[in-house]
Protein backbone atom coordinates (compact mmCIF):
# COMPACT_ATOMS: atom_id res chain seq x y z
CA UNK A 1 0.00 0.00 0.00
CA UNK A 2 1.26 3.47 -0.88
CA UNK A 3 1.40 5.80 2.14
CA UNK A 4 -1.18 8.53 1.69
CA UNK A 5 -1.38 11.63 3.83
CA UNK A 6 -3.44 14.75 4.35
CA UNK A 7 -3.07 17.96 6.39
CA UNK A 8 -6.14 19.52 7.93
CA UNK A 9 -6.98 22.52 10.03
CA UNK A 10 -9.48 21.97 12.85
CA UNK A 11 -11.22 25.25 13.80
CA UNK A 12 -12.23 26.38 17.28
CA UNK A 13 -15.79 27.50 18.05
CA UNK A 14 -17.44 30.08 20.21
CA UNK A 15 -20.97 29.83 21.57
CA UNK A 16 -22.71 33.08 20.70
CA UNK A 17 -25.63 31.80 22.76
CA UNK A 18 -25.91 28.91 25.21
CA UNK A 19 -29.21 28.30 26.96
CA UNK A 20 -29.92 25.25 29.05
CA UNK A 21 -33.47 24.22 28.24
CA UNK A 22 -33.79 21.00 30.23
CA UNK A 23 -32.05 18.19 32.06
CA UNK A 24 -32.29 14.62 30.81
CA UNK A 25 -32.44 11.46 32.84
CA UNK A 26 -29.03 10.37 31.49
CA UNK A 27 -27.32 13.44 32.98
CA UNK A 28 -27.05 15.32 29.68
CA UNK A 29 -28.64 18.76 29.31
CA UNK A 30 -30.84 19.96 26.48
CA UNK A 31 -29.54 23.14 24.90
CA UNK A 32 -30.41 25.97 22.61
CA UNK A 33 -27.03 27.05 21.35
CA UNK A 34 -25.61 29.20 18.57
CA UNK A 35 -22.23 27.83 17.56
CA UNK A 36 -19.84 29.80 15.37
CA UNK A 37 -16.58 28.32 14.03
CA UNK A 38 -13.60 30.69 14.18
CA UNK A 39 -10.23 30.81 12.47
CA UNK A 40 -8.11 29.59 15.35
CA UNK A 41 -6.92 26.17 14.24
CA UNK A 42 -5.32 22.99 15.51
CA UNK A 43 -3.15 21.51 12.76
CA UNK A 44 -3.42 17.79 12.10
CA UNK A 45 -1.32 15.72 9.72
CA UNK A 46 -2.62 12.21 9.06
CA UNK A 47 -0.72 9.52 7.18
CA UNK A 48 -2.31 6.13 6.61
CA UNK A 49 -0.31 2.88 6.41
CA UNK A 50 -0.93 -0.82 6.93
CA UNK A 51 0.88 -1.22 10.28
CA UNK A 52 -2.33 -1.98 12.19
CA UNK A 53 -1.27 0.69 14.73
CA UNK A 54 -2.51 4.16 15.59
CA UNK A 55 0.39 6.42 16.56
CA UNK A 56 0.03 9.98 17.83
CA UNK A 57 2.53 12.77 18.49
CA UNK A 58 1.32 16.10 19.74
CA UNK A 59 2.86 19.51 20.35
CA UNK A 60 1.63 22.92 21.50
CA UNK A 61 -0.95 23.02 24.30
CA UNK A 62 -0.57 19.85 26.33
CA UNK A 63 -2.87 16.87 25.64
CA UNK A 64 -2.32 13.17 26.38
CA UNK A 65 -0.53 11.31 23.53
CA UNK A 66 -2.40 8.12 24.38
CA UNK A 67 -5.66 6.27 23.55
CA UNK A 68 -7.64 8.81 25.61
CA UNK A 69 -6.87 11.54 23.06
CA UNK A 70 -9.98 12.33 21.03
CA UNK A 71 -7.96 12.09 17.82
CA UNK A 72 -6.90 8.56 18.72
CA UNK A 73 -10.46 7.61 19.74
CA UNK A 74 -11.84 9.07 16.49
CA UNK A 75 -9.36 7.06 14.38
CA UNK A 76 -10.16 3.85 16.24
CA UNK A 77 -13.89 4.36 15.88
CA UNK A 78 -13.50 5.15 12.18
CA UNK A 79 -11.54 1.96 11.52
CA UNK A 80 -14.13 -0.14 13.39
CA UNK A 81 -17.02 1.42 11.51
CA UNK A 82 -15.37 1.38 8.08
CA UNK A 83 -14.23 -2.23 8.56
CA UNK A 84 -10.88 -1.50 6.95
CA UNK A 85 -8.67 -4.52 7.45
CA UNK A 86 -5.10 -3.40 6.79
CA UNK A 87 -5.42 -0.14 8.66
CA UNK A 88 -2.90 1.99 10.48
CA UNK A 89 -2.31 5.68 10.90
CA UNK A 90 0.34 8.14 12.03
CA UNK A 91 -1.15 11.33 13.43
CA UNK A 92 0.75 14.52 14.20
CA UNK A 93 -1.29 17.03 16.16
CA UNK A 94 -0.25 20.63 16.79
CA UNK A 95 -2.55 22.10 19.46
CA UNK A 96 -3.01 25.83 19.00
CA UNK A 97 -6.48 25.90 20.55
CA UNK A 98 -6.22 26.10 24.35
CA UNK A 99 -7.36 22.86 26.00
CA UNK A 100 -10.47 22.55 28.22
CA UNK A 101 -11.18 26.18 27.47
CA UNK A 102 -14.74 26.19 26.10
CA UNK A 103 -13.44 26.54 22.54
CA UNK A 104 -14.22 22.97 21.47
CA UNK A 105 -10.70 22.00 20.38
CA UNK A 106 -10.90 18.31 21.23
CA UNK A 107 -14.28 17.90 19.52
CA UNK A 108 -12.98 19.69 16.43
CA UNK A 109 -9.88 17.49 16.28
CA UNK A 110 -12.09 14.40 16.49
CA UNK A 111 -14.37 15.57 13.66
CA UNK A 112 -11.41 16.53 11.46
CA UNK A 113 -9.79 13.13 12.01
CA UNK A 114 -12.95 11.31 10.94
CA UNK A 115 -13.32 13.55 7.87
CA UNK A 116 -9.68 13.16 6.89
CA UNK A 117 -9.70 9.37 7.22
CA UNK A 118 -12.92 9.16 5.25
CA UNK A 119 -11.25 11.18 2.51
CA UNK A 120 -8.02 9.13 2.57
CA UNK A 121 -9.95 5.88 2.27
CA UNK A 122 -12.13 7.29 -0.55
CA UNK A 123 -15.31 8.01 1.41
CA UNK A 124 -16.62 4.65 2.61
CA UNK A 125 -18.95 6.36 5.12
CA UNK A 126 -21.88 8.64 4.19
CA UNK A 127 -22.22 12.10 5.75
CA UNK A 128 -25.21 10.97 7.83
CA UNK A 129 -23.23 8.06 9.25
CA UNK A 130 -20.28 10.39 9.88
CA UNK A 131 -22.60 12.60 11.96
CA UNK A 132 -23.70 9.54 13.98
CA UNK A 133 -20.11 8.46 14.45
CA UNK A 134 -19.22 11.99 15.54
CA UNK A 135 -22.04 12.05 18.11
CA UNK A 136 -20.75 8.87 19.71
CA UNK A 137 -17.49 10.77 20.43
CA UNK A 138 -19.18 13.77 22.05
CA UNK A 139 -22.16 16.11 21.84
CA UNK A 140 -20.17 18.92 20.15
CA UNK A 141 -18.42 16.72 17.58
CA UNK A 142 -21.25 16.65 14.94
CA UNK A 143 -21.13 20.46 14.73
CA UNK A 144 -17.50 20.28 13.57
CA UNK A 145 -18.30 17.89 10.70
CA UNK A 146 -19.74 20.82 8.75
CA UNK A 147 -18.25 23.55 10.94
CA UNK A 148 -20.65 26.26 9.83
CA UNK A 149 -22.58 28.81 11.92
CA UNK A 150 -25.47 26.76 13.35
CA UNK A 151 -28.26 26.62 15.88
CA UNK A 152 -27.64 23.47 17.92
CA UNK A 153 -30.44 21.90 19.95
CA UNK A 154 -30.96 18.50 21.59
CA UNK A 155 -27.69 17.87 23.41
CA UNK A 156 -26.00 19.76 20.58
CA UNK A 157 -26.51 17.23 17.81
CA UNK A 158 -29.58 18.74 16.07
CA UNK A 159 -28.02 21.32 13.78
CA UNK A 160 -29.67 24.04 11.71
CA UNK A 161 -27.26 26.09 9.61
CA UNK A 162 -27.46 29.89 9.91
CA UNK A 163 -26.98 31.12 6.36
CA UNK A 164 -26.41 34.79 6.94
CA UNK A 165 -24.36 35.03 10.10
CA UNK A 166 -22.40 38.29 9.66
CA UNK A 167 -18.64 38.16 9.29
CA UNK A 168 -17.27 39.38 12.63
CA UNK A 169 -13.83 39.44 14.21
CA UNK A 170 -13.49 37.83 17.60
CA UNK A 171 -11.04 38.65 20.37
CA UNK A 172 -10.44 35.31 22.12
CA UNK A 173 -9.05 35.38 25.65
CA UNK A 174 -8.38 32.33 27.82
CA UNK A 175 -7.37 33.27 31.37
CA UNK A 176 -5.13 31.09 33.52
CA UNK A 177 -7.93 29.46 35.49
CA UNK A 178 -9.07 25.88 35.09
CA UNK A 179 -12.76 25.10 35.08
CA UNK A 180 -14.11 21.61 34.59
CA UNK A 181 -17.14 21.31 32.31
CA UNK A 182 -18.62 18.64 34.62
CA UNK A 183 -18.31 20.97 37.63
CA UNK A 184 -20.09 23.79 35.78
CA UNK A 185 -23.05 21.61 34.79
CA UNK A 186 -23.26 20.03 38.25
CA UNK A 187 -23.55 23.47 39.81
CA UNK A 188 -26.05 24.80 37.29
CA UNK A 189 -29.53 25.27 38.78
CA UNK A 190 -32.28 24.81 36.20
CA UNK A 191 -34.63 27.75 35.97
CA UNK A 192 -37.28 28.92 33.57
CA UNK A 193 -35.47 30.40 30.60
CA UNK A 194 -36.56 33.40 28.61
CA UNK A 195 -37.97 31.28 25.76
CA UNK A 196 -36.96 33.76 23.08
CA UNK A 197 -36.04 31.03 20.62
CA UNK A 198 -38.68 32.01 18.07
CA UNK A 199 -37.58 35.63 18.15
CA UNK A 200 -33.90 34.61 17.84
CA UNK A 201 -34.64 32.16 14.99
CA UNK A 202 -36.61 34.83 13.14
CA UNK A 203 -33.93 37.49 13.47
CA UNK A 204 -31.26 35.01 12.32
CA UNK A 205 -33.37 34.16 9.27
CA UNK A 206 -34.08 37.79 8.38
CA UNK A 207 -30.45 38.73 8.84
CA UNK A 208 -31.35 41.55 11.29
CA UNK A 209 -28.85 40.32 13.83
CA UNK A 210 -28.19 42.59 16.80
CA UNK A 211 -25.28 40.87 18.49
CA UNK A 212 -26.01 42.13 22.00
CA UNK A 213 -29.54 40.63 21.79
CA UNK A 214 -28.11 37.28 20.70
CA UNK A 215 -25.32 36.90 23.26
CA UNK A 216 -26.37 34.91 26.32
CA UNK A 217 -24.73 32.11 28.25
CA UNK A 218 -26.67 30.49 31.10
CA UNK A 219 -23.49 28.87 32.43
CA UNK A 220 -21.98 32.26 33.29
CA UNK A 221 -24.22 32.24 36.38
CA UNK A 222 -22.08 29.40 37.72
CA UNK A 223 -18.63 30.48 36.54
CA UNK A 224 -18.85 34.23 37.23
CA UNK A 225 -19.88 33.53 40.84
CA UNK A 226 -16.72 31.53 41.54
CA UNK A 227 -14.40 33.28 39.07
CA UNK A 228 -15.05 37.07 39.09
CA UNK A 229 -12.12 37.34 36.67
CA UNK A 230 -14.52 36.24 33.90
CA UNK A 231 -16.91 39.17 34.50
CA UNK A 232 -13.94 41.52 34.78
CA UNK A 233 -12.55 40.37 31.41
CA UNK A 234 -15.97 40.83 29.78
CA UNK A 235 -16.22 44.38 31.14
CA UNK A 236 -12.75 45.25 29.89
CA UNK A 237 -13.54 43.85 26.44
CA UNK A 238 -16.71 45.99 26.29
CA UNK A 239 -14.74 49.05 27.45
CA UNK A 240 -12.32 48.32 24.59
CA UNK A 241 -15.16 48.90 22.10
CA UNK A 242 -16.67 45.45 21.45
CA UNK A 243 -20.22 45.01 20.11
CA UNK A 244 -20.67 42.38 22.82
CA UNK A 245 -18.61 40.08 25.08
CA UNK A 246 -19.35 36.70 26.61
CA UNK A 247 -17.93 33.48 27.99
CA UNK A 248 -17.77 30.59 25.49
CA UNK A 249 -19.20 27.18 26.41
CA UNK A 250 -18.41 26.26 30.00
CA UNK A 251 -15.45 28.65 30.01
CA UNK A 252 -13.09 29.95 31.01
CA UNK A 253 -12.51 31.53 27.57
CA UNK A 254 -14.18 34.88 26.97
CA UNK A 255 -14.68 36.49 23.57
CA UNK A 256 -15.45 39.96 22.27
CA UNK A 257 -17.26 40.58 18.98
CA UNK A 258 -15.90 43.30 16.71
CA UNK A 259 -16.96 44.63 13.32
CA UNK A 260 -13.41 45.00 12.01
CA UNK A 261 -10.02 43.38 12.45
CA UNK A 262 -8.47 46.76 13.32
CA UNK A 263 -10.87 47.29 16.24
CA UNK A 264 -10.29 43.75 17.53
CA UNK A 265 -6.50 44.11 17.33
CA UNK A 266 -6.61 47.51 19.05
CA UNK A 267 -8.62 45.89 21.87
CA UNK A 268 -6.13 43.00 22.07
CA UNK A 269 -3.29 45.49 22.58
CA UNK A 270 -4.97 46.63 25.82
CA UNK A 271 -4.34 43.16 27.27
CA UNK A 272 -0.65 43.06 26.33
CA UNK A 273 0.61 43.04 29.91
CA UNK A 274 -1.92 40.49 31.23
CA UNK A 275 -0.65 37.00 32.10
CA UNK A 276 -3.07 34.92 30.01
CA UNK A 277 -3.17 31.31 28.80
CA UNK A 278 -4.09 32.51 25.30
CA UNK A 279 -5.11 35.66 23.42
CA UNK A 280 -5.71 36.09 19.70
CA UNK A 281 -7.93 37.73 17.13
CA UNK A 282 -9.80 35.36 14.82
CA UNK A 283 -12.29 35.84 12.03
CA UNK A 284 -15.41 33.74 11.72
CA UNK A 285 -14.53 30.58 9.79
CA UNK A 286 -16.34 30.29 6.49
CA UNK A 287 -15.33 26.99 4.94
CA UNK A 288 -14.33 23.59 6.25
CA UNK A 289 -10.98 22.75 4.69
CA UNK A 290 -10.36 19.08 3.96
P1 LIG B 1 -16.00 22.20 24.93
O1 LIG B 1 -16.08 23.62 24.51
O2 LIG B 1 -16.59 21.24 23.90
O3 LIG B 1 -16.46 21.94 26.34
P2 LIG B 1 -13.28 22.38 25.63
O4 LIG B 1 -12.61 23.35 24.73
O5 LIG B 1 -13.71 22.93 26.96
O6 LIG B 1 -14.50 21.76 24.88
P3 LIG B 1 -11.32 20.42 24.98
O7 LIG B 1 -10.17 21.30 24.68
O8 LIG B 1 -12.05 19.83 23.86
O9 LIG B 1 -12.37 21.17 25.93
O10 LIG B 1 -10.75 19.27 26.00
C1 LIG B 1 -11.48 18.69 27.01
C2 LIG B 1 -10.74 17.49 27.61
O11 LIG B 1 -10.49 16.50 26.60
C3 LIG B 1 -9.39 17.82 28.23
O12 LIG B 1 -9.41 17.30 29.52
C4 LIG B 1 -8.36 17.10 27.38
O13 LIG B 1 -7.29 16.54 28.15
C5 LIG B 1 -9.15 16.00 26.68
N1 LIG B 1 -8.66 15.77 25.29
C6 LIG B 1 -8.49 14.60 24.69
N2 LIG B 1 -8.07 14.75 23.43
C7 LIG B 1 -7.98 16.07 23.21
C8 LIG B 1 -7.59 16.84 22.08
N3 LIG B 1 -7.20 16.29 20.94
N4 LIG B 1 -7.64 18.18 22.21
C9 LIG B 1 -8.05 18.75 23.38
N5 LIG B 1 -8.41 18.06 24.46
C10 LIG B 1 -8.38 16.73 24.39
Amino acid sequence: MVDKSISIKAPAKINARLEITGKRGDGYHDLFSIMIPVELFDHIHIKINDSGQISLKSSGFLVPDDPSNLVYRAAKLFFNRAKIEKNGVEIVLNKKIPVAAGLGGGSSDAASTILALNELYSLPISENDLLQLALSLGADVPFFIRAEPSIATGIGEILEPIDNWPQFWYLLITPRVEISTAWVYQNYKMELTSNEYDYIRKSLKNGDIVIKDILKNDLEKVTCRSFPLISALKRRIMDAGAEGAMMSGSGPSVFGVFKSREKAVAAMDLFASDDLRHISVARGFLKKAV
Side-chain angles (χ1 to χ4, degrees):
M1 177 194 193
V2 183
D3 284 357
K4 284 205 288 183
S5 68
I6 198 168
S7 287
I8 32 171
K9 294 197 292 185
K13 59 86 181 160
I14 50 119
N15 298 86
R17 195 172 182 94
L18 179 51
E19 288 185 81
I20 314 294
T21 57
K23 188 169 180 192
R24 299 184 170 195
D26 58 8
Y28 278 103
H29 288 79
D30 284 309
L31 311 171
F32 177 92
S33 171
I34 296 178
M35 300 175 78
I36 310 295
V38 295
E39 290 188 348
L40 167 66
F41 299 104
D42 283 345
H43 294 251
I44 310 176
H45 186 78
I46 296 190
K47 188 166 159 190
I48 53 173
N49 55 48
D50 55 9
S51 66
Q53 307 285 322
I54 298 171
S55 87
L56 169 64
K57 275 199 188 74
S58 67
S59 58
F61 287 112
L62 194 66
V63 281
D65 271 355
D66 64 24
S68 72
N69 195 298
L70 276 153
V71 161
Y72 193 109
R73 289 176 51 210
K76 192 159 178 225
L77 198 68
F78 177 87
F79 286 136
N80 285 344
R81 183 66 59 92
K83 299 195 171 67
I84 293 164
E85 273 179 16
K86 291 227 157 193
N87 63 44
V89 65
E90 243 173 65
I91 307 174
V92 178
L93 169 63
N94 184 2
K95 290 285 311 171
K96 292 178 179 276
I97 305 172
V99 175
L103 298 174
S107 303
S108 186
D109 295 348
S112 287
T113 302
I114 292 174
L115 285 169
L117 286 171
N118 205 39
E119 179 96 1
L120 286 167
Y121 285 101
S122 307
L123 308 169
I125 301 181
S126 71
E127 189 176 72
N128 252 348
D129 287 350
L130 285 182
L131 288 167
Q132 285 303 321
L133 204 63
L135 181 59
S136 67
L137 288 161
D140 279 352
V141 185
F143 163 76
F144 287 106
I145 293 289
R146 294 206 183 101
E148 59 191 1
S150 305
I151 297 175
T153 51
I155 60 168
E157 85 288 16
I158 303 170
L159 296 161
E160 303 162 49
I162 303 167
D163 292 329
N164 43 16
W165 184 258
Q167 185 54 295
F168 290 118
W169 291 83
Y170 303 91
L171 172 61
L172 307 173
I173 297 182
T174 310
R176 286 194 188 281
V177 290
E178 280 171 30
I179 303 182
S180 117
T181 301
W183 175 84
V184 176
Y185 277 98
Q186 276 155 20
N187 284 279
Y188 180 74
K189 300 227 173 7
M190 274 307 298
E191 52 186 56
L192 282 181
T193 55
S194 51
N195 202 359
E196 296 164 330
Y197 318 129
D198 287 344
Y199 160 73
I200 299 278
R201 269 207 176 83
K202 211 152 127 202
S203 71
L204 290 174
K205 224 171 227 126
N206 297 341
D208 55 352
I209 293 165
V210 180
I211 196 73
K212 68 174 177 22
D213 292 348
I214 300 274
L215 296 188
K216 182 174 186 229
N217 186 341
D218 283 345
L219 298 176
E220 284 184 345
K221 279 194 281 257
V222 180
T223 54
C224 291
R225 208 169 41 225
S226 297
F227 301 95
L229 171 68
I230 291 176
S231 317
L233 282 172
K234 282 177 60 182
R235 266 196 308 276
R236 285 175 64 199
I237 294 171
M238 288 308 289
D239 289 347
E243 305 292 315
M246 212 175 64
M247 181 180 84
S248 183
S250 53
S253 299
V254 174
F255 63 90
V257 183
F258 292 84
K259 285 197 169 150
S260 73
R261 182 172 185 278
E262 290 67 30
K263 285 185 180 158
V265 169
M268 181 166 70
D269 289 345
L270 301 176
F271 292 85
S273 56
D274 285 50
D275 178 27
L276 299 163
R277 194 151 35 119
H278 172 85
I279 184 163
S280 66
V281 166
R283 197 166 52 162
F285 176 57
L286 288 183
K287 199 135 185 65
K288 180 96 188 163
V290 173

